[in-house]
Amino acid sequence: QRSVMHELFPSRDAGPFGRRVKRERGARIPVSVVTGFLGAGKTTLVRRFLKSPEGHGTAVIVNEFGAVGLDDALLRASADETVLLGNGCMCCATRSDLQVALRRLVADRDRGVIPHFARVLIETSGLADPGPILQTFATDRALGGEFYLEVVLTVIDAVTGAGNLERAPEARKQVILADRLVLSKTDLADAGTIEPLTQKLRELNPRAPVETAVNGALDPRHLLEAGTHHGNGRAGFVAEAAHTDDIASFVITEDKPMPWAAFVRAMETLIALRGADLLRAKGLLSVE
């Protein structure tokens, strides 16, 4: 199909999904996309990257699922500019906002409102389908004149990843459309679960190399380069596009510092009663 498309719309520069083949790119800004299901460890990995020399000069766009944008608060101190796109998934609620946010970053940089940046990193919601992001870069010519998509990296939790892939179509789409796959929390997973999970990932996406990151430690170049399979095509925009609609979030806010022991007991009780249903818990704590 790709060869037919190239015959209909010939171009020496164009690659799949609006990417150029390896050549001089002029002033266009590279974009890295970090995706992965809820609680996979995307923010931890991104924070480690931003602290590395390779991460300097990076603007970050964060899209979250939940009522409070904690990832935005966690990343803001490390990034030149962070744009919180709001609740929901980027694929169905904030796709147009992504285009606006990218253009605003460039305009603010050119006016000197924000520091200079040479790269953009998009951290998607855990419930986002990356397909429309790729489609946006491929179909928006004006956007393609300013940016090019370098790498889509998907983080998979080694502890809960197999279950997420089984029940959540979003998790499968994130794997299928990735250039690189990164297994997180391998130090917390049973050794016997890692090999079957890795095999499942290779079945879903045989083109993407599989890396391992513990506590977000990953070679920064993996967030900058698509890898040896760059430009070889991918599984494409598969038909599976359903959303997991029975996922909800709630927030607990306390005005006073809490005793650490009380917080620990509350979390232990929550995990004991609803551990199998708990996708993620995160927060900023004021402890006595």
Side-chain angles (χ1 to χ4, degrees):
Q1 288 181 344
R2 183 149 40 95
S3 63
V4 173
M5 292 298 288
H6 283 175
E7 290 174 10
L8 292 174
F9 305 99
S11 170
R12 288 171 133 352
D13 298 337
F17 304 103
R19 296 172 172 167
R20 284 187 179 181
V21 295
K22 290 294 184 182
R23 60 178 291 254
E24 187 63 36
R25 291 187 172 95
R28 293 204 304 164
I29 300 169
V31 178
S32 301
V33 176
V34 177
T35 187
F37 203 67
L38 292 169
K42 299 183 294 297
T43 300
T44 301
L45 187 145
V46 169
R47 290 181 74 189
R48 289 287 290 261
F49 170 73
L50 294 175
K51 291 178 181 178
S52 70
E54 293 85 351
H56 291 172
T58 300
V60 180
I61 295 176
V62 180
N63 171 237
E64 274 211 293
F65 176 84
V68 177
L70 289 173
D71 287 351
D72 174 62
L74 292 172
L75 290 169
R76 185 175 295 279
S78 303
D80 290 323
E81 174 70 1
T82 302
V83 179
L84 181 64
L85 298 183
N87 295 339
C89 59
M90 194 175 287
C91 64
C92 61
T94 59
R95 178 178 163 191
S96 61
D97 289 348
L98 170 62
Q99 294 158 294
V100 170
L102 286 167
R103 293 194 175 98
R104 185 168 62 239
L105 282 173
V106 172
D108 287 349
R109 182 192 66 171
D110 293 344
R111 291 187 295 113
V113 176
I114 62 174
H116 176 80
F117 63 89
R119 167 175 298 278
V120 173
L121 188 149
I122 300 171
E123 181 188 333
T124 75
S125 159
L127 295 177
D129 168 6
I133 299 175
L134 303 181
Q135 187 178 355
T136 296
F137 283 98
T139 58
D140 188 323
R141 293 186 179 183
L143 200 67
E146 298 174 274
F147 301 91
Y148 67 93
L149 186 61
E150 182 68 82
V151 59
V152 178
L153 183 147
T154 297
V155 185
I156 302 96
D157 182 343
V159 178
T160 63
N164 292 336
L165 290 173
E166 182 69 26
R167 70 174 181 268
E170 298 90 349
R172 294 190 290 274
K173 288 286 291 287
Q174 290 162 359
V175 169
I176 289 168
L177 293 175
D179 295 306
R180 288 188 180 274
L181 301 171
V182 176
L183 275 176
S184 66
K185 307 181 187 178
T186 53
D187 56 322
L188 304 177
D190 294 335
T193 65
I194 295 176
E195 181 56 34
L197 175 57
T198 302
Q199 182 59 36
K200 178 64 175 177
L201 295 177
R202 289 179 175 145
E203 291 173 1
L204 288 170
N205 187 342
R207 287 159 295 279
V210 180
E211 318 289 348
T212 299
V214 176
N215 293 325
L218 183 71
D219 186 336
R221 291 175 297 178
H222 293 334
L223 284 138
L224 307 178
E225 304 169 359
T228 57
H229 302 286
H230 182 81
N232 288 343
R234 43 171 82 170
F237 300 105
V238 294
E240 182 183 50
H243 286 280
T244 307
D245 293 324
D246 57 347
I247 295 176
S249 67
F250 65 92
V251 180
I252 297 176
T253 303
E254 293 287 344
D255 295 329
K256 298 179 181 179
M258 67 176 65
W260 174 250
F263 171 75
V264 171
R265 286 197 300 270
M267 292 303 299
E268 288 175 344
T269 302
L270 175 62
I271 292 170
L273 294 177
R274 301 299 298 272
D277 299 324
L278 184 64
L279 288 173
R280 178 179 71 182
K282 58 163 57 178
L284 300 175
L285 297 179
S286 177
V287 180
E288 285 183 352

